[in-house]
Structure formats: structure tokens, C-alpha cells
Amino acid sequence: MITIFRKQQMGIIQRQSVKSSLVNFTGFLVGSLSTLFILPLDWNLYGSIQYWLAIAMLLSPFLNLGTVALVEKYFPFFKERNIPGFLRFIFLVTIIATGFSLLLLFFLGDYLIKWLSPIMELTSSTNENIFIISVAILIGFINLVRVQSANFQRIVFFDIIYKLGFKFFLPFIFLLHLWHLLQTEELQVGIVLFYALVLLVLIFYLKKIGAWDVKTNNAIRVAQTKKKEYSSYMFFSMFNEVSHLMAYKIDIIMIGALLSKTSAGIFSSFLFLSAILEIPSRSLYEISAPFIASSFEKNDMNKVEELYKKSSINLMIVGVFIFCIIWLNIENVFDIMTNGKDLRPFKWIFVFLGVAKLIDMLTSLNKHILIYSKHYMFNLYFVVALAVLNIGANYIMIGQWGILGAGLATAISIFIFQLGRTFYIYLKMKIHPFNNKSLQLLFIIAVVLLVSPAVHRLDCNIFLQGGFITLGFSFLYFIALRKLQISDEIENMLLSKLPMLKPWLGKD
């Protein structure tokens, strides 16, 4: 029975991950068109939007005081005991926390701006502050609904409405502004309305799948007996998430503050390219998180280790493939792109950011393993250290090398952080995600980086060149996967979708 249950769990994870990845890749196609042809029309506007959203994301966990993490951590407890009203309890706590934070921000906002002024240029415009705070509040509630949806192993609809929806919305409102049909303030209102509409649609979806658990106060009464435990975990999660965002989002904010919004726009294009690598990992992390939490609840460390290792190698296989395809074709991307010449001097930013993403994928579920274990407090220490390291590295390296320095600072910080967190998990739980197959994949990247200068110097039709490079590398890569026997799961999935490859791979 346990084996069957585990197979069912892995089947759910794989199906939801594949579906979500397809949605995210669709978003990538839409986002690619925007990034290639629309958003480069005004680097300053593009950079401003990314700057605003980065600050809003940074403020979001501070405003809700980390209540979103309660949904992941304690949902298994209430579910297994059949205690209804869990989401009602969460929404009530989030509303109270947000109200308290807004009062605190109102009285201490000026001191906060002054304190942060050396590293980020927070706006003094009242309308802009209201806009950013409104988006931050909505992001918090959307994330709450997202986690509840993941608890029910449903993440695809969320991806369609929120992630894919924004990919369509951003170029639309961007063009309206460029055509002078919207002023800056009206563009900001449009962004707020988009987030509000997304939240309403997702709430209706939770009702449809039976996850809108708000009818009774039973969960609230049970939770009152654990106020201290919940409060401690909330504040831990708040500092953890704020530190995490400062580590991963601070580069855009600091570039916008220390250099210009135009530089932030250029850097954002490379962020988009590198974010393509993590498309498969996003959905896998979201759908795996409830299983990790449940496994710790049952003290099933074998399940934790299984998810840890399989997610690492499978994510790396996909990540290395995408990284190599983009890097080998990056000169063609610049040739096709509107104002692509502005990016060419900074192309190594993609390598720095891409390597950072690959390090995240290699270490896979270490964040979830740590925060759902009894050692969860140490994740906060690691993330705070990463935030401090990344802020310091960005401040120094941006001053030295501009946006190239920001990319290098991110790669160095992520490497130190993930290595430290993974080593700590090994010391405490005796599990790690690595094997010799991981080294073989890293060797493939090294070979591609060595041969790429010759590929970039090729002078022929960009579409023929791109097609030849992509097909040629894809063939060689999947042959290498087969010969090295890196992952049976990836191979079987590939053959099920592309049976014509069976003769080439020696399959009947």
C-alpha cells in the first residue's frame, strides 16, 4: 500500500509539473515576443515597472507578517484531523496582520526610507507609494491562494490566470502607455486592477475545487490553543521571506537606485532569459512542497531523500539543456531583438545569472527540506546571510562593473548560499542531492562554454544558423543522456512523447 501511495504521489507531481511547465513555456513564448520586440522600445519604462514590482514583492511578506507560510506548514495538521475552517483562520490572521503592518508603515515609513536610502531609492511620491503598497498587499493574498491551491495538487489554473495572464497584460498596457493612451498613474492603476481581478478569479476557483474552506470557526478555535507556536512561525517566515527576496530581488532595486531605470530595464531582459531555466523547477517546487511537509509530519525520511535526489538530477537535465541552447543562440537573439545592440556588450550577464539558476536547480528542494524540518530556524540564518552577502556584493560590484557586476554578485552569492545550506542538511539529516551524473552535466556546460566563441562568430542566415545549432545540440545532448544513462525518468518521458527517437536511442 505504501509503495502504491508513493507511486500515486510521484504521478501527481509529474503530471502537474508537466502541465504547469507547458503553461509556463507558453508564457515564455508570449514573454519572449514581448521581451524581443515590445519592452525594449522603452528601457526606462520597462526598468521602472520591474523596479516597482520588485519593491512590492519585497514589501509583501512584511505586510502580511509571513502568514502565507502557515498555509504550507500547518495544512497537513488540519487536514489529517478533519478540522474545517482552515482557510478562514488564515484569511483572518492575514487581514489582521496586514492592517497592523499598514499602521506601522504609516508611522515609521519615513524612518524606513531614510534607513534604506544607501541601497535603494524608495520613492517619496505619495501616489507611487500607494500603488506599490496596493500591489504588495494583493501579491500577499494571491500567494496565499496559490499555496492553498498547491495543497490540493492544483497549480495549473493558477499558472494560467496569474503567470500567463501577466505575460499578456504587460505588453498590452506597455503599448497603451507608449501610444500615449495611458499616463503613468493610469498604467499603475491598471496593474493594481489586474492583480485584484486575478485574486477574485482564483478565489472562485478554490470554491470550485472544494478548497475554499471558510464556513466554520473550528480551525480558529483549535489555533487559539497554539497562538505562540503560530506567531513564532509567522515571524520566522516573514524574516525568512523578506531576506530571501532581498537576496534574489535586490539586484533590480539596487541597479535602479545606483545606476538608472534604463540599466534596470536592460538587466531585466537578462533576468527573463535566465528565468526560462527555472520554468520546470517552479512547478515542481510548488507541487512537491505539500509532500515534503507531509513526509516530515510522518517522519518518512526515505520519501524526502527520494524527492531530493530525483528532483535535482531531473531539473539539472532540463536546466542544462535550456542554458546551452540559449547561450549558443544568444547572438542570434540580439540580432532579432528590438534594440538588441544595447544588450550585446553585457551578454555574459546571462552566463552569471544562468549559472545561479542551475545552482538552485542542482540543490533542488533543500529550502523546503530545511523549513519543514525541526531545523527550520537555520534556513532563516542562511537566507539572512545570503541577503547580507548579496547586498554587499552588489553594492561593491555594481560600483566597479555596473550591471555586469550585479550578475556576477548574484552568481557568487547563490553559490556560497546553496553550498552552505546543502552541507548543513547533510550534516543534520545525512542526505544530499548529488551524484556522479551531476558532474557529467556540469562537464557538458564547460564544453559548451569553450566552443561557444566559435559558434558566435559564425556569419550566416540567423534563422538557418539558429535552427542548425538547436537541432544539432539537441541531438547530441539526448544521445549523451542515453549513453551516460543519467535519468531513466527523463528518457522514458521523452520516448513516450517522441517515439521516433527509439531507433536512435537503441530502444525497441
Side-chain angles (χ1 to χ4, degrees):
M1 287 295 294
I2 294 176
T3 302
I4 294 173
F5 178 68
R6 285 184 175 176
K7 288 182 177 179
Q8 290 175 339
Q9 283 186 326
M10 291 304 297
I12 292 171
I13 291 175
Q14 289 178 354
R15 287 194 300 272
Q16 286 287 298
S17 296
V18 170
K19 290 179 181 179
S20 183
S21 293
L22 289 174
V23 173
N24 286 324
F25 272 115
T26 303
F28 152 67
L29 293 176
V30 177
S32 295
L33 293 174
S34 302
T35 303
L36 287 173
F37 304 114
I38 298 176
L39 301 178
L41 291 170
D42 190 335
W43 291 120
N44 185 69
L45 177 60
Y46 182 33
S48 295
I49 293 173
Q50 295 301 315
Y51 179 77
W52 295 332
L53 294 180
I55 296 177
M57 290 179 186
L58 184 60
L59 280 176
S60 182
F62 169 76
L63 292 177
N64 59 48
L65 300 181
T67 52
V68 174
L70 294 178
V71 187
E72 286 183 333
K73 175 70 173 177
Y74 293 103
F75 176 78
F77 173 86
F78 286 89
K79 180 182 179 181
E80 292 178 7
R81 291 161 179 77
N82 294 316
I83 303 172
F86 176 68
L87 204 58
R88 182 171 186 156
F89 155 63
I90 294 295
F91 262 80
L92 178 63
V93 173
T94 304
I95 291 170
I96 293 172
T98 302
F100 173 79
S101 297
L102 288 175
L103 286 175
L104 198 64
L105 197 60
F106 178 78
F107 288 108
L108 301 179
D110 291 339
Y111 297 101
L112 181 65
I113 291 173
K114 184 177 180 181
W115 181 64
L116 293 176
S117 59
I119 59 171
M120 63 178 71
E121 183 189 353
L122 294 178
T123 175
S124 59
S125 166
T126 302
N127 290 338
E128 209 163 272
N129 285 336
I130 292 174
F131 157 67
I132 292 172
I133 291 172
S134 299
V135 172
I137 293 171
L138 290 168
I139 287 174
F141 280 98
I142 289 171
N143 284 334
L144 188 156
V145 174
R146 169 187 60 81
V147 176
Q148 178 69 350
S149 183
N151 282 334
F152 283 76
Q153 291 83 52
R154 302 291 185 87
I155 61 173
V156 178
F157 186 77
F158 171 86
D159 289 340
I160 293 173
I161 297 300
Y162 186 32
K163 298 178 182 177
L164 185 58
F166 192 74
K167 298 294 185 183
F168 282 100
F169 174 76
L170 178 58
F172 171 72
I173 201 167
F174 193 93
L175 287 173
L176 290 181
H177 184 273
L178 289 184
W179 294 336
H180 305 292
L181 297 175
L182 288 179
Q183 300 300 316
T184 300
E185 293 78 8
E186 294 167 329
L187 179 144
Q188 293 171 345
V189 170
I191 292 175
V192 171
L193 291 176
F194 170 81
Y195 281 99
L197 181 61
V198 166
L199 178 59
L200 290 175
V201 171
L202 291 176
I203 287 174
F204 280 112
Y205 178 69
L206 286 188
K207 290 182 179 180
K208 182 179 178 180
I209 65 175
W212 185 246
D213 183 21
V214 297
K215 291 184 178 180
T216 74
N217 290 322
N218 291 14
I220 296 176
R221 287 193 289 268
V222 172
Q224 286 177 342
T225 64
K226 295 188 174 185
K227 288 181 181 180
K228 185 176 180 180
E229 177 183 342
Y230 291 165
S231 298
S232 297
Y233 192 75
M234 276 174 54
F235 285 107
F236 152 76
S237 300
M238 179 195 72
F239 287 113
N240 183 67
E241 188 64 20
V242 168
S243 300
H244 184 271
L245 288 168
M246 288 188 74
Y248 284 87
K249 294 291 183 182
I250 200 65
D251 44 14
I252 281 292
I253 298 174
M254 293 184 69
I255 288 170
L258 298 175
L259 298 177
S260 66
K261 303 299 189 299
T262 296
S263 296
I266 292 173
F267 191 81
S268 295
S269 295
F270 288 106
L271 282 176
F272 171 79
L273 288 174
S274 64
I276 299 169
L277 276 67
E278 65 180 2
I279 289 175
S281 63
R282 291 174 189 167
S283 53
L284 186 140
Y285 293 158
E286 289 180 1
I287 200 64
S288 297
F291 291 120
I292 293 290
S294 178
S295 296
F296 272 110
E297 184 77 16
K298 300 172 184 176
N299 198 29
D300 187 355
M301 290 304 297
N302 290 330
K303 179 64 178 176
V304 173
E305 185 175 16
E306 178 188 2
L307 288 170
Y308 197 18
K309 288 185 176 293
K310 286 187 176 182
S311 63
S312 174
I313 192 64
N314 290 332
L315 286 176
M316 275 295 286
I317 288 172
V318 179
V320 168
F321 175 73
I322 298 172
F323 175 88
C324 293
I325 290 293
I326 294 175
W327 180 241
L328 290 171
N329 284 284
I330 199 161
E331 290 291 340
N332 295 329
V333 172
F334 296 152
D335 288 336
I336 296 170
M337 188 176 189
T338 302
N339 293 325
K341 63 183 185 299
D342 297 334
L343 301 184
R344 186 167 275 113
F346 310 107
K347 68 179 182 181
W348 276 88
I349 292 176
F350 171 75
V351 174
F352 299 145
L353 296 178
V355 167
K357 298 296 184 186
L358 290 175
I359 293 169
D360 278 338
M361 298 168 84
L362 179 63
T363 53
S364 68
L365 296 167
N366 63 359
K367 170 189 172 183
H368 299 83
I369 290 171
L370 198 53
I371 63 176
Y372 293 134
S373 73
K374 63 181 180 181
H375 309 289
Y376 66 87
M377 280 298 296
F378 284 89
N379 189 67
L380 174 60
Y381 305 150
F382 279 112
V383 174
V384 169
L386 172 61
V388 173
L389 176 62
N390 204 21
I391 291 171
N394 269 281
Y395 187 80
I396 294 170
M397 294 185 182
I398 288 175
Q400 292 288 327
W401 301 297
I403 57 176
L404 276 170
L408 182 59
T410 297
I412 293 172
S413 301
I414 295 299
F415 175 77
I416 296 173
F417 164 67
Q418 292 290 22
L419 186 65
R421 188 160 63 177
T422 302
F423 184 67
Y424 180 82
I425 290 174
Y426 177 73
L427 287 178
K428 294 297 181 180
M429 306 178 207
K430 304 303 178 186
I431 58 175
H432 64 82
F434 309 123
N435 56 42
N436 63 331
K437 306 300 183 183
S438 305
L439 294 176
Q440 292 169 348
L441 289 170
L442 295 176
F443 177 75
I444 291 175
I445 292 181
V447 171
V448 168
L449 290 176
L450 286 173
V451 304
S452 61
V455 174
H456 293 164
R457 285 195 296 267
L458 293 176
D459 186 16
C460 60
N461 182 278
I462 58 175
F463 296 103
L464 289 177
Q465 179 182 325
F468 176 77
I469 291 172
T470 301
L471 291 175
F473 176 78
S474 299
F475 177 77
L476 294 174
Y477 186 71
F478 289 116
I479 289 295
L481 292 183
R482 168 59 178 159
K483 296 300 182 182
L484 297 173
Q485 297 181 334
I486 292 180
S487 173
D488 291 336
E489 291 178 342
I490 293 290
E491 182 180 318
N492 292 333
M493 184 180 296
L494 177 67
L495 292 176
S496 68
K497 302 299 180 183
L498 300 171
M500 74 285 297
L501 293 178
K502 290 183 179 181
W504 293 95
L505 298 176
K507 293 282 187 177
D508 296 330

